[in-house]
Amino acid sequence: MQPPIIVTRRWPAVVERILAERFDTTLNAGDIPLTPTQLKAAFLNFDAILPTVSDKLPASVFPDEDVRTKLIANFGVGFSHIDLEASRQRGIVVTNTPGVLTDCTADIAMSLLLSVARRTGEGERQLRGGEWAGWCPTHMIGTRLSGKTLGIIGMGRIGKAAAKRAHFGFDMKIIFFNRSQVDDDQVRAMEASQLPTIEDVLTQSDFVSLHCPGGAENRHLIDAKRIGEMKRGGFLINTARGDVVDQDALIDALENRTIAGAGLDVFAEEPFVPERLMRMENVVLLPHLGSATEETRVAMGMKAVENLTAFFEGRPAPDKVA
Ligand code: DGY
């Protein structure tokens, strides 16, 4: 008998087909997010739950009685929406999808960086609004990337991929903060310098790009005080998780022009985006597009398939995080 599994959102069709062949699969044809009550019920009825970042799985949705679920195969590399302690207590294995979204997420970080520095969102809005009065030497002047310093917070796979693009593609100097020492060929090739504190990176960077995990440990890692350490003309790029930044403090800093701008792909309470951010021209706002390419979304799905297949064949799941 095939293990019953539930997929909480629509996945790429090719992956849904493979899941349906290998497992007794319940799909979400309407793509309507499950309620906490439905998620709770899923733990009693399915051997595996396949959630994603839009599903919140705090301890309160894990039932107290004996759960049927043995595996949570997350569609995504970030798993701060899942309470790992609650999973561990119930003996549930959790997996993610690392590696396959590195390049596309780094591309979105670069896209935000370029867009906010060169004011392309603002320019397009002006043009489409029929307000462009023609070329002139003082029109919509932005900031050059070449020769500037990019500070990376979190020099993991995605941080390195963003740094590589910025250094080799845009001639930027790379400095970074990472909790553990990073000294490998990639970092040496970019002549990137690891600095001892986040403050060191913030004070010396023209652009700061966040690439650390979300969750309790990094909640408001970039708070009002740290935003205050950034250069006055500095830009903050966030493709990591919304809760890594104190969003209200960031909005204050943007309104007061304490920093020059921000490029955001993630928000504190997605999909809610505060009106104050929407009103600002010096921010570029994207709807969490980091991994949103055909190639990457299929690869993420296939990673989950590999994890499920290994787990239910009694082999170690390759991407076990808990
Ligand atoms: C992830 O995988 O964590 C992404 O944020 C989802 O695209």
Side-chain angles (χ1 to χ4, degrees):
M1 210 180 79
Q2 291 176 321
I5 67 168
I6 182 163
V7 187
T8 64
R9 302 297 302 266
R10 286 314 303 259
W11 283 22
V14 58
V15 187
E16 287 189 344
R17 266 199 304 280
I18 293 170
L19 286 171
E21 279 161 22
R22 295 195 192 172
F23 306 96
D24 173 7
T25 305
T26 297
L27 297 171
N28 182 349
D31 205 20
I32 296 165
L34 302 188
T35 62
T37 309
Q38 288 170 317
L39 285 168
K40 199 167 202 165
F43 280 98
L44 304 176
N45 298 320
F46 296 94
D47 285 355
I49 302 177
L50 283 61
T52 189
V53 62
S54 61
D55 302 299
K56 301 279 164 275
L57 296 170
S60 56
V61 307
F62 287 72
D64 292 328
E65 62 263 53
D66 284 346
V67 293
R68 174 170 188 155
T69 299
K70 298 165 193 69
L71 174 67
I72 297 175
N74 184 51
F75 184 96
V77 67
F79 46 83
S80 56
H81 53 289
I82 304 170
D83 189 315
L84 295 190
E85 193 41 46
S87 315
R88 264 189 221 106
Q89 280 168 9
R90 290 157 182 84
I92 303 172
V93 168
V94 180
T95 60
N96 71 341
T97 63
V100 293
L101 38 69
T102 305
D103 285 330
C104 287
T105 308
D107 289 348
I108 281 288
M110 286 312 295
S111 164
L112 286 170
L113 207 147
L114 271 168
S115 188
V116 72
R118 299 301 308 275
R119 304 173 62 179
T120 59
E122 202 182 336
E124 198 194 14
R125 280 190 292 280
Q126 186 185 72
L127 183 148
R128 284 181 188 267
E131 288 158 14
W132 181 36
W135 193 93
C136 79
T138 54
H139 177 236
M140 214 163 268
I141 303 305
T143 303
R144 188 170 79 166
L145 293 195
S146 317
K148 298 283 169 58
T149 298
L150 172 63
I152 301 272
I153 308 290
M155 199 61 151
R157 287 189 191 89
I158 302 173
K160 283 181 198 168
K164 190 170 118 192
R165 282 157 174 71
H167 179 71
F168 294 111
F170 295 93
D171 206 15
M172 296 182 83
K173 177 182 165 195
I174 308 297
I175 58 177
F176 68 94
F177 172 82
N178 194 71
R179 285 210 174 116
S180 54
Q181 191 63 30
V182 186
D183 181 17
D184 58 27
D185 290 346
Q186 263 184 302
V187 165
R188 276 191 293 275
M190 294 181 242
E191 295 173 17
S193 316
Q194 181 161 7
L195 303 187
T197 67
I198 292 179
E199 283 72 13
D200 290 326
V201 172
L202 297 176
T203 51
Q204 295 176 44
S205 300
D206 301 300
F207 297 84
V208 174
S209 191
L210 305 178
H211 297 287
C212 49
E217 218 179 319
N218 286 339
R219 189 179 142 75
H220 293 186
L221 184 75
I222 306 300
D223 58 9
K225 191 159 176 299
R226 285 189 163 143
I227 294 169
E229 300 285 346
M230 288 178 65
K231 287 188 184 177
R232 220 179 161 82
F235 295 87
L236 183 71
I237 308 300
N238 191 5
T239 53
R241 282 290 180 267
D243 60 3
V244 174
V245 178
D246 179 340
Q247 191 165 274
D248 291 333
L250 174 64
I251 295 171
D252 289 343
L254 289 162
E255 282 179 349
N256 301 333
R257 293 278 173 169
T258 311
I259 64 170
L264 307 174
D265 188 41
V266 286
F267 302 88
E269 300 290 340
E270 294 178 16
F272 171 72
V273 178
E275 184 52 38
R276 284 168 74 200
L277 269 181
M278 300 271 214
R279 277 200 305 265
M280 274 184 254
E281 287 290 6
N282 55 332
V283 295
V284 180
L285 307 171
L286 295 181
H288 204 145
L289 292 181
S291 63
T293 63
E294 178 68 23
E295 296 86 344
T296 290
R297 289 284 165 87
V298 170
M300 289 164 76
M302 290 311 296
K303 275 249 156 200
V305 170
E306 282 164 30
N307 283 308
L308 283 154
T309 306
F311 183 84
F312 287 114
E313 286 178 359
R315 292 179 284 118
D319 305 305
K320 181 170 180 240
V321 294

